[in-house]
Amino acid sequence: MSSHIPLPKEKHNKSKLFVTRSHLLSKKHEHSKLIQTHPFNHQISIISQSTTVRETLAKYIGPYYNVTLKLSDFIDPAFISNYIKRNTLIALSSNRYIDADDVFAIDGQKLILSVGKDTYETLGLVGKSAQFPVERGSRFVVEIDLLDCMDPAKKYYQRVHSRLNAVLNEPVEFLVGYFDKNTGTPVTFDIPGATIVTPQVDTRSVPNMLVPNVPECLISTNEQTDTWAEHAHELFEWIGLAASCSQAVAGTSDEQTSAYTVPEPTSKDMHVVTVRGLLSATAIHSVINELVAAHTEFYVCVWGFDDAPVSWNSSEHNFYVSGENMYAQAYVPHKNCCLSFQACGPWDAFS
């Protein structure tokens, strides 16, 4: 069951919040699909009472790379054979802004070019007008299936190769993650000039954190009443505050000055583990599967890159007042329930 709840108008005029309630044993696996279809992740926070979350994260999340390559390097048949076909490669051009610059990315087997009008008209490869910005024809998206570039004798390869070399031939700095296609664990990316980057890990213990009781109506009912929507907003807000270890949920804020109150709280000793880097969606899924198997309640908050060209399910993404594309989840194993929240900014096509 899913529902679309607009965020408060005074804060996010056109932003969207999607709430999904899923059964952990359901064959639909809605909570898993949400994770696996969001490829460009730069931060995860897990909030729980467990003291072993950091070790679980370390099993699956590890190094990625900073490397400078030409776009034509990605369509080299040897590169495709050695990397694209064998495991999962994620790449995102760094130090570029999706609303101002030409941005490039690889999502598995697809090369995505999000470019301005001048670049597109010079490039000469077939694409489509971007949905954002609103001024149609000012930005374009070109998608190249890398598996179609395996044979240099084919006209498609020759066309793509010649146009990239003619127009987009400058070296580009990329963040690259190369991951096992089944578990998401890092695999060696043996490219000359690649620099290994280690994700940043931060662990904080918060004694007597104010944790809300997940309302029964969110777990058991499909009826989206005003009360249901209010409870959903409250839980989503709490997960965000807890992920940042805000004083408002740490039980240390001054009630007279704090505008936020945790609904129906229980004091619990909680641990917040945060990892920042280029994070594999499959690795995040592997971590969460282990935590679910431990049958303890926990909460997850994952942030996508503001300047990624896509969000969920290859939906076009851009930046307006916000490049938000993030999700939060509340896992309640003893009820076999997961509540998922997907938040995206005004210029995101996900719906």
Side-chain angles (χ1 to χ4, degrees):
M1 181 277 297
S2 64
S3 177
H4 172 206
I5 301 178
L7 291 173
K9 291 184 178 180
E10 69 274 15
K11 292 184 179 179
H12 305 276
N13 189 36
K14 294 182 180 179
S15 293
K16 296 166 284 187
L17 175 63
F18 298 90
V19 184
T20 304
R21 178 176 63 84
S22 55
H23 196 283
L24 294 178
L25 302 180
S26 169
K27 293 182 179 179
K28 293 182 178 180
H29 302 295
E30 290 175 298
H31 57 288
S32 297
K33 290 177 182 177
L34 180 155
I35 299 168
Q36 294 173 314
T37 57
H38 191 261
F40 297 104
N41 307 288
H42 76 83
Q43 181 173 320
I44 180 173
S45 291
I46 297 178
I47 307 121
S48 77
Q49 291 185 281
S50 172
T51 59
T52 62
V53 169
R54 182 169 181 146
E55 287 74 14
T56 303
L57 283 161
K59 285 174 60 177
Y60 297 100
I61 295 178
Y64 57 102
Y65 299 85
N66 194 319
V67 62
T68 299
L69 295 169
K70 291 184 178 182
L71 291 178
S72 58
D73 293 332
F74 290 117
I75 66 166
D76 181 271
F79 183 92
I80 295 171
S81 179
N82 291 333
Y83 297 106
I84 301 299
K85 292 187 70 176
R86 291 185 179 180
N87 284 292
T88 300
L89 188 139
I90 298 293
L92 180 63
S93 53
S94 54
N95 302 314
R96 290 177 178 244
Y97 300 101
I98 191 69
D99 57 346
D101 302 317
D102 293 337
V103 170
F104 315 114
I106 290 182
D107 176 10
Q109 298 175 350
K110 181 167 56 180
L111 173 61
I112 304 167
L113 317 176
S114 178
V115 298
K117 179 180 179 181
D118 291 345
T119 300
Y120 180 72
E121 290 181 345
T122 308
L123 184 60
L125 295 176
V126 176
K128 61 182 180 181
S129 180
Q131 297 184 51
F132 314 102
V134 176
E135 297 81 8
R136 304 291 287 180
S138 61
R139 192 167 191 86
F140 293 83
V141 178
V142 178
E143 295 185 352
I144 298 169
D145 187 332
L146 293 173
L147 295 188
D148 287 341
C149 293
M150 289 291 293
D151 188 353
K154 289 186 176 180
K155 290 184 178 180
Y156 178 76
Y157 171 86
Q158 295 170 2
R159 174 68 178 171
V160 171
H161 187 267
S162 93
R163 297 318 300 159
L164 290 181
N165 274 336
V167 180
L168 295 172
N169 60 349
E170 293 295 323
V172 178
E173 186 176 348
F174 284 92
L175 299 178
V176 175
Y178 190 46
F179 309 113
D180 182 272
K181 60 184 177 182
N182 296 314
T183 64
T185 53
V187 179
T188 300
F189 183 63
D190 190 17
I191 291 292
T195 302
I196 297 176
V197 184
T198 302
Q200 299 176 358
V201 183
D202 175 57
T203 303
R204 286 187 273 183
S205 297
V206 185
N208 300 313
M209 178 183 280
L210 301 178
V211 181
N213 294 313
V214 178
E216 185 63 29
C217 69
L218 293 181
I219 295 174
S220 61
T221 183
N222 292 336
E223 185 179 357
Q224 285 85 59
T225 63
D226 289 344
T227 300
W228 187 95
E230 181 181 355
H231 285 317
H233 272 294
E234 290 174 343
L235 181 57
F236 175 63
E237 184 176 13
W238 179 86
I239 295 173
L241 291 169
S244 62
C245 295
S246 167
Q247 290 186 351
V249 301
T252 58
S253 65
D254 186 339
E255 293 184 2
Q256 294 182 341
T257 59
S258 176
Y260 177 80
T261 302
V262 179
E264 300 183 18
T266 300
S267 292
K268 297 180 181 180
D269 294 339
M270 303 293 280
H271 306 279
V272 181
V273 184
T274 299
V275 182
R276 300 175 182 87
L278 179 59
L279 311 178
S280 159
T282 304
I284 293 172
H285 185 245
S286 295
V287 169
I288 287 174
N289 279 345
E290 282 210 15
L291 297 179
V292 168
H295 300 289
T296 57
E297 200 167 296
F298 66 96
Y299 309 85
V300 180
C301 202
V302 177
W303 289 264
F305 284 90
D306 286 351
D307 293 295
V310 295
S311 60
W312 289 275
N313 297 311
S314 299
S315 299
E316 185 185 324
H317 177 76
N318 208 299
F319 193 102
Y320 180 45
V321 294
S322 152
E324 183 179 31
N325 64 115
M326 59 83 65
Y327 63 88
Q329 294 181 310
Y331 284 87
V332 190
H334 68 280
K335 296 281 188 177
N336 282 318
C337 177
C338 175
L339 292 162
S340 299
F341 305 84
Q342 294 164 273
C344 45
W347 283 4
D348 192 297
F350 177 75
S351 63

